[in-house]
Amino acid sequence: MVVSEAPRIVTSRIGFEDSHTLVRYLDTGGYTGLRKALTMTPEAVAAEVDGASLLGRGGAGFPAGRKWSMLRKGPIPYLVVNGDESEPATFKDHLLLEKDPHQLVEGVVIAAYALQVARVFIYIRGEFALGLERVQAALNEAYAQGAVGRDIFGSGFSVDIVVHPGAGAYICGEETALLESLEGKRGYPRIKPPYFPAAIGLYGEPTVVNNVETMSNLPWIITNGAAAFTALGEGRSTGTRLFALAGQVRNPGVYEVEMVKTTFRDLIYAPVLGGGVLHGRELKAVIPGGVSAPWIGPAQLDTPLGQDEVAALDTMLGSGSIVVMDETTCMVRAAWRITRFFWRESCGQCTPCREGSGWLEKILRRIEDGVGREADLDLLMDTCDNLAPGVSWPPQQTTICVLGPSIPSSIASAIRMFRDDFLVHIKEGGCPHG
Amino acid sequence: MADPVVTSHHGLASRVAPDAAPVTITIDGVPVEAAAGEFLIAAAERAGTFIPRFCYHPRMKPVGMCRMCLVEVSTPRGATLQPACYMAVAEGMEVVTTSEKVRKAQDGVLELLLVNHPLDCPVCDKGGECPLQDQVLAYGPGESRFLEEKRHWAKPIPISELVLLDRERCIQCGRCVRFAAEIAGEAQIDFLGRGDQTEVNIFEGASFSSVFSGNTVQICPVGALTATPYRFSARPWDLDQVESTCTTCALGCRVAVQSSANRATRMLGVDSDPVNQSWLCDKGRFGYESLNSGDRLVAPLRRRTPGGELEPVSWSEALSAVADRLGAIRGASGGSALAVLGGARLSNEDAYAWARLAKAVLGTDSVDAQLGDGLPAEVVLGLPRATVDEACAAPVVLLLSGDLREELPVLFLRLRGALEEGGTRLVELSSRATSLTPLAAASLAYRPGEAAATVAALAAGKGGPEGIDPAAWTAALSALEGAGPDGAGMVVVLGRPSLSEDGALVAEAAAAMASAWPGARFLPALRRGNVMGALDMGLAPGILPGRVSLAEGRAWFEEAWGPLPADRGRDCAGILRGAVEGSVEAIVLLGADPLGDFPDRALADEALEKVGFVVAVDAFLSPSAARADVVLPAAVHHERAGTTTNIEGRISRTAQKLVGPGQAWPDWMIASELAARLGTELPAGSVAELWDEIERLAPSHAGITRAALEAPGARDGIVAPLPASPVSLSRRGGPARIDPVATPGIESVERQGAPPRAGLAERSGVADDPAATTAGSVGRPRPLGWPQSVDPPHVGPLDNYSLRLVSGRHLYDEGVLLEVCPSLGALADRATARANPYDLDRLGLTTGGHVKVRSARGSLVLETVADAGVPRGVVTIGFNLGVAGEAGGTGGAAALIGAGEAVVDVRLESLSGRTTVPRTPAPKPTPTPAEEEGA
């Protein structure tokens, strides 16, 4: 098992106790990317990012450069940074916000310069108290340093950045719900089209929305050039990526690994990474990209961590969360816990998601409690079909946003891969795992 | 003759740009023409394919929440399920509404909706007219597979005096939430919580106090919102309905009047595109309770001895008593000693019969349908008129009126909608903040009495008068540029901003507008019932039917009617003063209550006290009717057929649904009987014959025949006068069926008759040609035009110790209607003195204090409210309201206003003895009235 020797792009300062301070940041090459960007034309900066083929790190994996170029024809009033990382077992942006806020700020100013945006909102999950504090502190330092605000580093370019805390709703990570929330409204995803907030975004104006990790890559890309970035990874999946490794694994945590050159097996078993399944047990299944993603089994562990490679398995790398489930895991319980999360977080706009999530949760809980019927498996699948017709990947949807159609992923995976687990619950009238 | 057909109009089509390119799409294999950008759900419906829906409402923006309207739409990535309610059609779009995939999705949504919906249909008001019930039956699975416990909430909970909320039944379509925020602009009801714990509710400590709350009950697709007046009172299948026109205010909203066993049970808004677009205000919606009231007059009453009690008598005795007395006065003192007040409650036919009785039989021109709270008739009838649609499409609306939400609520909704949509800019001339102020491009707080000067300064593009915010002034000048140099892009909404500001001052301002912007058109904002029809029919001094002046129309009408009074008569104030002086000896009150409605209550009181003989023709024993010598019980709208005319001049039919109580008669019949007893048989013996006579004689109504009014395309009414060239009466080609989900409870056209067609009407042309005649030798007179002479009273300066009074109408006032409607009674507002915090502060007062307000006419103790929306130097006190606080009392500002005063200046005295401190150091302080009294 060989783990690639790729440089750490966004986690290079994580080892320092004071990694969040301006002093440390400047000591470790901070704001050189921005200073370099300001000597370039905005078009050149955007071209550099486009050339790096940086895929959005929020979940959908849309190329950041393409997103920008859809808009750069006209003025863009707003850039919004999505730091509402709320999915269970997803904690990579959490790390960047707390440990390297200046890197985020620098990336944001580079993006603002490339897009010629004068106003940026960083929307951070409300529960990230320390992250909010550190990003605000970093912003204050950056303002004092002249890296944000009027006439940045004497370049004539100005941008204001505002930190906005979320109010405790997972759905506000959906970018249009996030915009509604920023506007002070209920966090309801907006109807599509428009499919991107590009044309009609915040306050009805063209808006770019990017993820925290995406922004944090920009200082390195500008400093080292797009070619250095594309030298890492393979195909469409360039550079490195953060993965939040969790579940029954010896060394859970956030790992930055080179894309494609690393496989699920590397990440889970390499001694310098996951270190293997907890207590040396057998691996039963892996949730590869957050709880919205269909699961994979032990046979698929050699798949490289690349966008297209994982898509070929009919699942996704999504939010960068990888959950290891070992042989002792009750798959009914796992599916129920995930469904309960979606039930609690459904915004309630669309009937299928609002009512379907609750119904699915009730059926799964009933099976887990030992009062299920075999017919419930068909009922589960049929109700999943009402949320995501066909229950296939990528999901078709009957709802405004993808939260509802994400619910069937874990239920269908559990039933398809571990039907016997369900039947045991039903026949024995309870959970064999206690 | 009742017209049973209720029409529906599809607003969505009208939202598509009129020049939108036509596209062809296929729906279930059939090619369908649609306008580019039109929503698929509407295009399909026009083509006869009904796509089920809950949250979609043709009058609101789509939200795509219920997901019931999913259909298969072909896209470059293959056919996918798409919501038809917000999918815009595009050329070549292929749509399938009946595939297995669509059926599965519809089944699924319905089964999911029923997961938490209680199946209490047998005890639910909506049962039988419930879109959920109907669509489950039509599209849903046969049974539910849901085994678990449903969600539970406390229920029902009152969220206002009128509306109850059952959250268990709610399917979270958001129609009520969206109506409140989007249409009414009052987000008082909203979603709380999330997921399947989402509930609709009001905010803590608040109430759903909107005057439009009943609309949410009407559009709720389940029984989650129910109305207290209707709750448990009927099953929908037991109700009969007719389409009619609401006459609570002068906008003339189209309604479906529903009844059971001769009791009015419910009123629903009909979607009339040019008028109310399906909305109603709560006073109009729930005012039907008055029809069932036990307080209705059911028999004629008469005082057999002077000073005796009113006692029930026969019609014959009552009519003879009236005819004898009026005839005797006519004989002894001449017709000018007789006067008729009121008429806005009447139908057009009633009003015409009474105008003919008064002017040609009683011989008096002292007739006034307005009670000193309107505008001079010549001005209202003479100004070039605009429709509501024209106002909503105009680049500039100039508003000089009272608060429209209080006076003409649905006109407020229409204008609000136009302003929200953009394209129309509002310049408001108002001495206080109104409900439209937040949407105005500029709100100019002119001092009462200075409206004309303000208009003149605006027209000249000069600097604004002192006291008007310069920024607002600049904004107004810039907004007015949109109207073009001659004002062709301007519609003026002209009403009575304040009852303490003489109507002649408004006329003066209107004249200034018409002269500055000759291309501008006017939408009168007179508020009372059929006041426009009454004016059109000649119930005003110096006016004859068809909007002609007495002088112009004399020859024409004398040929038909016989001799007319030689001189112009008196208006309401003149009549009341005449009664006090003795020159008016008898007053007929036609549904008029001058004690409640005339601005100067003391004068009305004295007039009724001193006048020799009072006849009241009314449905209720109002305070004024209680002072009458003879009271004649009248049938009201929905108890008799006829027509009514709204502020646009739109003539629409009101249908008879009920039989009036006891011996109540239609007003025209009373007029006819009185005329016969006075020796003149009126020729028309029915409502139909009366209309034929109106159409023949009234120049502004020429060509609007009964046949035209009864044409199916004329359900929205016909605006008089007709244009010279033929017009389509209805823009609607007409869908084959109405949308049963938009307005649950209104029966579909299919079940009630043929789909309406657009009718055509054409003016005969004679009205354009003064020489043209019908039968006799006299030319048809010309309707009033512009200019008219206006004679504004002098307005004195405001001294530094005084505040100028602004007194507006409230929707929920002390009027008889609220008193006799059990559900509305508790809603009546109370009078308070609202003033700028600065002015109150000078008296050491704030909100909740008490103050004595003193005018030259009287004084009143009122609770104070500090309101930054009231400019300095102004105090606002509502009209015809009970007085809040310990002092009590009735009438509100009516105690302070003196008839004939141009404006009313008042002084505030704190009850601790402090009086108003001057705003600026006055060179020579003048003594306050209190000091004068003390001296």
Side-chain angles (χ1 to χ4, degrees):
Chain A
M1 190 173 299
V2 181
V3 176
S4 84
E5 299 277 316
R8 299 206 308 192
I9 291 177
V10 292
T11 58
S12 61
R13 291 174 201 91
I14 299 302
F16 297 105
E17 193 70 9
D18 58 352
S19 63
H20 58 284
T21 62
L22 181 63
V23 173
R24 174 62 66 189
Y25 193 63
L26 292 174
D27 263 9
T28 49
Y31 290 109
T32 53
L34 173 59
R35 285 180 189 280
K36 182 177 171 191
L38 293 172
T39 66
M40 302 158 66
T41 63
E43 293 73 23
V45 175
E48 201 71 30
V49 174
D50 202 22
S53 171
L54 173 64
L55 300 183
R57 302 297 201 236
F62 194 82
R66 278 245 316 275
K67 204 183 237 184
W68 292 7
S69 63
M70 290 193 306
L71 270 183
R72 289 192 55 255
K73 293 159 199 99
I76 309 167
Y78 302 112
L79 167 65
V80 174
V81 180
N82 185 346
D84 192 46
E85 185 183 57
S86 318
E87 194 151 299
T90 305
F91 44 90
K92 57 161 185 89
D93 291 344
H94 191 177
L95 182 89
L96 295 177
L97 292 166
E98 287 183 0
K99 301 286 188 190
D100 207 342
H102 276 289
Q103 178 175 259
L104 171 64
V105 170
E106 183 180 356
V108 168
V109 179
I110 290 169
Y113 177 72
L115 295 163
Q116 289 295 294
V117 168
R119 186 165 281 269
V120 181
F121 293 95
I122 304 181
Y123 187 102
I124 298 176
R125 180 179 175 186
E127 292 87 338
F128 286 172
L130 183 60
L132 278 161
E133 190 184 307
R134 292 222 166 137
V135 173
Q136 188 58 59
L139 263 183
N140 293 348
E141 287 178 321
Y143 264 102
Q145 187 74 13
V148 181
R150 302 292 98 194
D151 188 19
I152 293 169
F153 294 149
S155 66
F157 176 69
S158 303
V159 63
D160 278 313
I161 302 177
V162 174
V163 172
H164 186 100
Y170 166 67
I171 192 60
C172 290
E174 201 275 354
E175 62 185 4
T176 60
L178 186 152
L179 296 179
E180 290 284 296
S181 172
L182 257 185
E183 291 179 10
K185 303 173 187 160
R186 282 176 72 83
Y188 272 171
R190 296 177 179 172
I191 53 178
K192 290 114 186 150
Y195 290 100
F196 294 100
I200 305 169
L202 189 64
Y203 304 113
E205 300 286 346
T207 304
V208 168
V209 184
N210 278 137
N211 167 264
V212 165
E213 185 185 344
T214 312
M215 290 286 106
S216 297
N217 271 289
L218 298 183
W220 194 94
I221 290 174
I222 296 302
T223 305
N224 299 282
F229 196 77
T230 51
L232 300 168
E234 208 175 285
R236 287 211 308 139
S237 304
T238 56
T240 62
R241 199 176 160 177
L242 292 186
F243 289 98
L245 184 64
Q248 285 137 328
V249 65
R250 274 206 185 91
N251 308 319
V254 176
Y255 297 97
E256 179 173 1
V257 297
E258 187 177 355
M259 294 194 80
V260 190
K261 303 290 172 55
T262 318
T263 64
F264 284 104
R265 188 179 303 283
D266 296 337
L267 183 61
I268 295 167
Y269 288 96
V272 294
L273 300 174
V277 176
L278 199 62
H279 306 311
R281 294 196 196 114
E282 285 300 307
L283 183 143
K284 194 168 177 181
V286 172
I287 306 175
V291 291
S292 305
W295 305 349
I296 59 173
Q300 291 149 329
L301 290 184
D302 292 316
T303 307
L305 296 171
Q307 182 135 315
D308 298 332
E309 292 77 0
V310 176
L313 302 181
D314 283 340
T315 183
M316 63 170 180
L317 284 177
S319 65
S321 149
I322 293 179
V323 179
V324 176
M325 296 187 280
D326 74 15
E327 56 190 317
T328 66
T329 308
C330 170
M331 291 314 192
V332 177
R333 196 172 182 82
W336 167 59
R337 289 288 293 268
I338 291 168
T339 305
R340 186 180 66 172
F341 167 77
F342 284 120
W343 164 55
R344 288 176 172 169
E345 295 296 341
S346 167
C347 80
Q349 267 196 107
C350 304
T351 305
C353 175
R354 180 183 69 240
E355 305 293 346
S357 60
W359 192 6
L360 290 166
E361 188 272 339
K362 288 183 174 75
I363 299 169
L364 287 165
R365 191 173 51 195
R366 195 150 49 75
I367 298 173
E368 172 66 8
D369 287 349
V371 283
R373 309 161 302 169
E374 203 168 335
D376 284 335
L377 299 188
D378 290 342
L379 179 55
L380 282 171
M381 288 304 287
D382 192 57
T383 303
C384 284
D385 189 273
N386 285 333
L387 282 162
V391 198
S392 54
W393 192 265
Q396 292 197 43
Q397 61 192 80
T398 58
T399 50
I400 291 172
C401 83
V402 294
L403 189 150
S406 300
I407 304 173
S409 291
S410 56
I411 299 174
S413 295
I415 293 178
R416 284 170 181 159
M417 295 167 72
F418 307 102
R419 190 177 180 89
D420 285 349
D421 275 28
F422 284 82
L423 295 178
V424 167
H425 279 74
I426 290 162
K427 286 186 185 123
E428 295 183 1
C431 180
H433 303 275
Chain B
M1 185 199 59
D3 177 354
V5 180
V6 167
T7 64
S8 161
H9 309 264
H10 286 251
L12 209 65
S14 67
R15 276 194 205 149
V16 174
D19 54 350
V23 296
T24 305
I25 62 173
T26 54
I27 298 176
D28 298 327
V30 181
V32 167
E33 292 285 321
E38 190 179 10
F39 293 127
L40 176 54
I41 200 167
E45 192 170 338
R46 251 186 316 98
T49 300
F50 183 85
I51 298 171
R53 76 288 297 265
F54 292 103
C55 65
Y56 170 77
H57 189 284
R59 291 292 177 189
M60 296 193 283
K61 290 189 194 114
V63 288
M65 288 171 70
C66 75
R67 316 308 285 180
M68 189 64 219
C69 65
L70 291 171
V71 292
E72 259 188 295
V73 177
S74 57
T75 65
R77 288 176 298 166
T80 58
L81 289 171
Q82 297 289 344
C85 72
Y86 63 83
M87 169 69 50
V89 300
E91 179 63 40
M93 182 180 273
E94 286 172 35
V95 181
V96 178
T97 70
T98 54
S99 67
E100 181 53 28
K101 195 170 177 182
V102 171
R103 193 202 58 76
K104 172 83 171 66
Q106 290 174 346
D107 261 19
V109 169
L110 284 167
E111 187 179 24
L112 289 164
L113 282 175
L114 292 180
V115 157
N116 276 312
H117 185 82
L119 298 181
D120 61 350
C121 309
V123 294
C124 177
D125 268 1
K126 214 72 172 192
E129 59 181 31
C130 173
L132 181 59
Q133 212 175 33
D134 292 347
Q135 295 187 91
V136 164
L137 211 62
Y139 302 95
E143 56 189 82
S144 172
R145 296 171 291 179
F146 184 74
L147 303 174
E148 282 77 11
E149 186 71 16
K150 291 181 192 251
R151 181 186 58 205
H152 289 295
W153 299 103
K155 69 179 207 173
I157 54 171
I159 55 172
S160 74
E161 295 282 337
L162 296 167
V163 182
L164 290 164
L165 168 66
D166 181 331
R167 291 164 294 174
E168 292 185 352
R169 292 180 186 154
C170 175
I171 57 169
Q172 282 87 21
C173 71
R175 280 183 169 188
C176 54
V177 170
R178 284 141 60 207
F179 172 83
E182 192 180 316
I183 307 292
E186 302 165 296
Q188 298 168 341
I189 179 168
D190 207 343
F191 285 125
L192 310 181
R194 70 173 175 230
D196 65 3
Q197 298 302 304
T198 302
E199 61 177 302
V200 156
N201 213 327
I202 50 174
F203 297 104
E204 212 174 310
S207 164
F208 191 21
S209 59
S210 168
V211 301
F212 302 107
S213 69
N215 292 296
T216 64
V217 176
Q218 171 164 330
I219 60 178
C220 180
V222 290
L225 294 167
T226 49
T228 47
Y230 173 75
R231 192 173 154 80
F232 299 143
S233 70
R235 305 301 333 212
W237 52 85
D238 288 334
L239 296 178
D240 278 340
Q241 71 175 25
V242 295
E243 182 173 326
S244 190
T245 302
C246 176
T247 56
T248 308
C249 78
L251 184 64
C253 297
R254 288 299 274 175
V255 291
V257 182
Q258 301 186 330
S259 71
S260 173
N262 203 41
R263 278 182 73 80
T265 347
R266 190 165 61 169
M267 199 88 97
L268 294 172
V270 168
D271 194 336
S272 169
D273 191 62
V275 187
N276 58 314
Q277 304 193 338
S278 85
W279 313 126
L280 297 178
C281 71
D282 288 352
K283 192 174 181 182
R285 179 183 300 276
F286 299 118
Y288 71 83
E289 286 185 331
S290 65
L291 298 170
N292 305 328
S293 168
D295 294 336
R296 282 290 298 274
L297 292 170
V298 293
L301 306 173
R302 182 185 172 211
R303 278 179 230 281
R304 282 193 163 127
T305 54
E309 292 292 303
L310 281 171
E311 51 189 298
V313 295
S314 70
W315 266 107
S316 170
E317 180 185 335
L319 288 168
S320 295
V322 173
D324 290 353
R325 187 68 185 267
L326 297 182
I329 296 171
R330 182 182 60 178
S333 311
S336 64
L338 303 174
V340 178
L341 277 181
R345 176 180 56 70
L346 279 53
S347 70
N348 291 331
E349 292 83 350
D350 293 333
Y352 175 83
W354 271 94
R356 184 164 178 175
L357 170 69
K359 302 201 173 182
V361 180
L362 297 175
T364 178
D365 191 49
S366 295
V367 172
D368 199 350
Q370 302 187 84
L371 298 180
D373 56 353
L375 298 172
E378 285 85 353
V379 172
V380 175
L381 300 179
L383 285 167
R385 197 78 68 88
T387 64
V388 175
D389 273 352
E390 284 164 348
C392 290
V396 177
V397 169
L398 183 59
L399 189 85
L400 176 61
S401 78
D403 191 333
L404 290 182
R405 190 166 66 196
E406 301 292 331
E407 302 200 348
L408 294 156
V410 176
L411 177 61
F412 161 80
L413 286 189
R414 289 292 312 273
L415 285 175
R416 188 185 174 280
L419 296 173
E420 282 277 309
E421 214 160 273
T424 298
R425 304 188 73 197
L426 174 70
V427 175
E428 184 185 45
L429 288 168
S430 177
S431 311
R432 59 186 163 137
T434 71
S435 31
L436 279 173
T437 302
L439 294 170
S443 191
L444 307 177
Y446 74 94
R447 179 180 290 169
E450 297 171 7
T454 309
V455 169
L458 266 183
K462 298 189 301 197
E466 196 190 334
I468 293 185
D469 174 20
W473 189 261
T474 310
L477 289 176
S478 129
L480 287 172
E481 282 170 18
D486 75 336
M490 180 194 295
V491 168
V492 180
V493 177
L494 186 75
R496 183 79 176 266
S498 163
L499 296 173
S500 50
E501 187 179 4
D502 197 301
L505 291 167
V506 181
E508 182 194 15
M513 292 171 188
S515 114
W517 300 291
R521 281 161 305 151
F522 292 75
L523 182 63
L526 299 184
R527 48 173 282 284
R528 189 176 292 124
N530 189 25
V531 63
M532 299 303 293
L535 297 182
D536 277 1
M537 292 300 102
L539 288 181
I543 304 288
L544 288 167
R547 305 181 188 168
V548 296
S549 70
L550 184 62
E552 166 77 15
R554 175 179 299 280
W556 171 263
F557 277 95
E558 284 192 338
E559 192 170 275
W561 284 8
L564 292 171
D567 300 318
R568 181 194 163 92
R570 314 167 200 238
D571 67 1
C572 181
I575 290 166
L576 295 174
R577 266 192 231 103
V580 171
E581 293 158 5
S583 54
V584 169
E585 297 170 38
I587 297 178
V588 179
L589 300 173
L590 277 182
D593 179 15
L595 287 177
D597 287 324
F598 187 69
D600 181 344
R601 176 175 281 192
L603 176 59
D605 188 58
E606 195 183 355
L608 290 182
E609 192 60 42
K610 291 196 170 155
V611 72
F613 188 61
V614 178
V615 181
V617 185
D618 214 326
F620 292 96
L621 202 62
S622 68
S624 304
R627 306 262 292 264
D629 298 283
V630 180
V631 179
L632 303 175
V636 298
H637 288 287
H638 316 311
E639 294 172 352
R640 44 139 173 79
T643 58
T644 185
T645 304
N646 81 347
I647 54 173
E648 306 165 290
R650 182 183 302 277
I651 299 164
S652 63
R653 297 161 68 208
T654 62
Q656 177 176 2
K657 183 73 206 73
L658 305 161
V659 178
Q663 303 171 41
W665 281 12
D667 298 85
W668 71 267
M669 211 182 273
I670 298 171
S672 188
E673 288 290 329
L674 283 174
R677 281 172 162 76
L678 286 159
T680 307
E681 293 281 349
L682 299 182
S686 69
V687 170
E689 285 173 26
L690 277 163
W691 185 262
D692 292 345
E693 192 176 318
I694 293 167
E695 192 274 327
R696 187 163 49 84
L697 293 177
S700 59
H701 288 45
I704 306 177
T705 60
R706 259 195 299 146
L709 282 170
E710 287 169 10
R715 258 182 212 104
D716 294 332
I718 299 175
V719 177
L722 293 175
S725 52
V727 285
S728 166
L729 295 181
S730 170
R731 281 194 283 164
R732 185 171 56 91
R737 53 184 294 178
I738 68 163
D739 171 358
V741 187
T743 307
I746 295 190
E747 291 180 51
S748 77
V749 171
E750 281 169 326
R751 286 175 56 189
Q752 297 248 344
R757 302 179 311 273
L760 291 177
E762 188 173 356
R763 185 153 65 163
S764 60
V766 283
D768 283 338
D769 178 5
T773 58
T774 45
S777 56
V778 181
R780 191 187 284 255
R782 277 184 179 281
L784 289 163
W786 199 260
Q788 295 285 332
S789 71
V790 295
D791 185 16
H794 172 71
V795 179
L798 178 69
D799 72 63
N800 278 324
Y801 291 90
S802 297
L803 301 174
R804 195 151 276 178
L805 176 64
V806 170
S807 182
R809 287 275 187 180
H810 288 228
L811 187 66
Y812 295 140
D813 63 7
E814 268 192 322
V816 170
L817 184 70
L818 249 68
E819 214 166 276
V820 299
C821 292
S823 305
L824 297 176
L827 297 171
D829 291 336
R830 314 299 288 172
T832 55
R834 299 182 89 88
N836 192 280
Y838 167 85
D839 283 324
L840 284 182
D841 193 48
R842 292 187 298 134
L843 277 172
L845 287 171
T846 175
T847 297
H850 280 81
V851 71
K852 182 173 235 177
V853 186
R854 182 184 294 280
S855 75
R857 189 71 175 163
S859 70
L860 202 58
V861 174
L862 291 168
E863 198 172 299
T864 51
V865 177
D867 182 350
V870 178
R872 291 181 188 187
V874 166
V875 59
T876 74
I877 301 171
F879 188 80
N880 200 20
L881 299 178
V883 173
E886 300 145 21
T890 60
L896 303 169
I897 303 172
E901 285 179 41
V903 292
V904 178
D905 291 344
V906 298
R907 296 194 179 186
L908 304 187
E909 301 163 12
S910 79
L911 298 185
S912 58
R914 285 175 71 180
T915 53
T916 318
V917 181
R919 275 181 299 284
T920 50
K924 199 173 125 198
T926 48
T928 66
E931 286 165 353
E932 279 174 337
E933 271 175 17

